[in-house]
Amino acid sequence: MTNSDSENVRPVGGGGDGETTVVHLMRHGEVHNPEGVLYGRMPGYHLSELGRQMADRVAEHLAGRDVTHVVASPLERAQETATPIAKAHGQDLATDERLIEAGNVFEGKTFGVGDGALRKPANWRHLTNPFRPSWGEPYIEQVVRMMAALGAARDAARGHEAVCVSHQLPIWVVRSFVERRRLWHDPRQRQCTLASLTSFTYRGDKIVSVGYSEPAIDLVPVHLRVGAKRTKGGAKGFGA
């Protein structure tokens, strides 16, 4: 869905016993990245002013929810996105290394079609297997750590709600796993806009549905929304 008042919810299985817990996986807000590099796990990349507005918007959106646990990736952009949410609910902000961005050999480089790293033959060996993928952390390893992080957040917020601030690729990959889709995919089709919420509803220890909402969609530049066409030099969308 593409408005702040609606949520697309997909059942992923029946049953499940016990209390209901919701774990929201949130993608961080826009990052200040004027060079357009793939920043990945590199330190020193902070939210832009627009990104801070996105974080505040989602904090307002969640203000009336029963959030009892807020945790973020250790990277600055995730910590800065989570801070207003934790503050709004009177929670200490926790950090979970398992929520970190996916590892990528192209960190620090521009990575777009027709420019940057793809023009250098020395980098082509990293592009041989899109199914693993050969250029970074295997998808299945991302699933394992993200499922563990989700489980820890669920346990910390039993019967309530938790917010985990992470990054686009790990969020999309774990959602694909839960919804029983293949893990390899076209990055342009990830439904995981800046400052979006991918919400996993648990009954007891079992995920019974996955929801998706975009509370700050009006703040997201059009070229960074799902399905937007990449342009030459437009690597900013990759360091998410």
Side-chain angles (χ1 to χ4, degrees), residues 207-229:
I207 298 173
V208 295
S209 69
V210 180
Y212 178 78
S213 59
E214 298 173 333
I217 189 62
D218 59 303
L219 298 176
V220 178
V222 173
H223 71 283
L224 294 180
R225 299 181 189 181
V226 65
K229 210 173 194 181

Side-chain angles (χ1 to χ4, degrees), residues 119-200:
R119 296 187 63 184
K120 300 177 181 178
N123 290 328
W124 295 350
R125 62 190 174 87
H126 298 301
L127 304 173
T128 56
N129 185 355
F131 306 106
R132 185 178 185 266
S134 53
W135 55 82
E137 182 183 12
Y139 293 134
I140 192 60
E141 291 183 12
Q142 295 177 53
V143 167
V144 170
R145 64 176 172 85
M146 290 295 288
M147 286 297 293
L150 282 171
R154 174 205 62 210
D155 291 344
R158 289 272 183 185
H160 304 278
E161 300 185 30
V163 178
C164 305
V165 181
S166 187
H167 308 268
Q168 186 191 58
L169 178 55
I171 294 172
W172 180 247
V173 168
V174 75
R175 176 182 171 183
S176 296
F177 173 80
V178 170
E179 294 184 334
R180 299 180 178 87
R181 289 193 303 273
R182 67 190 186 199
L183 301 184
W184 61 272
H185 59 280
D186 181 345
R188 297 169 297 182
Q189 300 304 316
R190 295 173 190 158
Q191 189 184 41
C192 190
T193 305
L194 289 165
S196 61
L197 296 170
T198 301
S199 304
F200 298 80

Side-chain angles (χ1 to χ4, degrees), residues 28-33 44-56 76-82 84 194:
H28 61 79
E30 185 191 59
V31 174
H32 180 66
N33 180 22
Y45 283 87
H46 298 266
L47 292 182
S48 64
E49 181 55 37
L50 181 59
R52 294 182 185 279
Q53 293 177 35
M54 293 176 182
D56 289 340
E76 292 98 330
R77 58 193 185 271
Q79 294 278 315
E80 291 164 0
T81 299
L194 289 165

Side-chain angles (χ1 to χ4, degrees), residues 35-38 105-124 126-127 231-236 238:
E35 296 83 13
V37 301
L38 176 67
V105 299
F106 293 105
E107 280 183 8
K109 303 175 182 178
T110 57
F111 186 59
V113 177
D115 71 321
L118 286 180
R119 296 187 63 184
K120 300 177 181 178
N123 290 328
W124 295 350
H126 298 301
L127 304 173
T231 57
K232 183 176 180 180
K236 293 181 182 179
F238 285 95

Side-chain angles (χ1 to χ4, degrees), residues 50-74:
L50 181 59
R52 294 182 185 279
Q53 293 177 35
M54 293 176 182
D56 289 340
R57 172 71 63 80
V58 178
E60 293 171 7
H61 175 77
L62 294 172
R65 305 296 288 261
D66 185 23
V67 175
T68 61
H69 181 64
V70 183
V71 60
S73 153

